[in-house]
Amino acid sequence: MNQEELKQFFPAGGNVDENIDILDVQATSRDDVLVGMAVLPLTTAQQKIVIYQLTLSNGEYDYRAISASCPHQGADISRDVLKPDGNVYCSLHRRPICIYSKFNQAYAVVKHDEQYIIAKNS
């Protein structure tokens, strides 16, 4: 997805006290979605996460990470599409998961070479 398709852009809302390495990052069938493994804030175990890539109007990329499990009933959302309203809708129950809306709890991700990191809040 690119920024022109998104109705409104909001910065990442998830809070991170220290950088978190994302391991085993793999491509998916979609160019704008990756999956990996990380220990997200407020959790203690490594879990599957989804990284969404948005192409900004200046040509750079904005990356956001969320758990690959829908918070409603745990369905895998890694194949669900980011919509222009800034949400991914779980294919199981259509629950919106905010990525770019103003209520988002997605985590900002930075890419250094081939390493993806959930970025500490400044």
Side-chain angles (χ1 to χ4, degrees):
M1 174 175 263
N2 62 48
Q3 190 174 3
E4 286 78 26
E5 295 171 321
L6 191 67
K7 290 181 181 177
Q8 194 163 357
F9 181 89
F10 291 92
N15 292 319
V16 180
D17 294 331
E18 58 185 50
N19 288 340
I20 301 170
D21 290 332
I22 303 173
L23 307 173
D24 301 322
V25 175
Q26 298 176 14
T28 66
S29 60
R30 295 198 348 258
D31 291 338
D32 62 340
V33 178
L34 302 164
V35 293
M37 300 294 290
V39 179
L40 294 176
L42 305 177
T43 66
T44 58
Q46 193 175 75
Q47 61 184 287
K48 182 178 177 183
I49 64 166
V50 183
I51 304 168
Y52 290 91
Q53 174 185 295
L54 180 74
T55 304
L56 301 176
S57 55
N58 64 6
E60 294 181 9
Y61 296 116
D62 182 74
Y63 299 98
R64 303 283 173 98
I66 59 170
S67 171
S69 296
C70 174
H72 180 224
Q73 288 192 339
D76 185 350
I77 63 166
S78 64
R79 283 175 268 184
D80 297 327
V81 178
L82 176 64
K83 300 291 187 177
D85 65 358
N87 294 301
V88 171
Y89 290 86
C90 172
S91 56
L92 183 61
H93 288 105
R94 309 305 304 155
R95 177 190 172 111
I97 297 125
C98 303
I99 307 297
Y100 286 98
S101 74
K102 73 178 184 177
F103 303 107
N104 80 77
Q105 284 299 308
Y107 301 101
V109 173
V110 294
K111 181 181 178 188
H112 295 293
D113 298 319
E114 294 305 311
Q115 176 64 45
Y116 291 86
I117 298 167
I118 297 174
K120 172 183 171 182
N121 295 84
S122 24

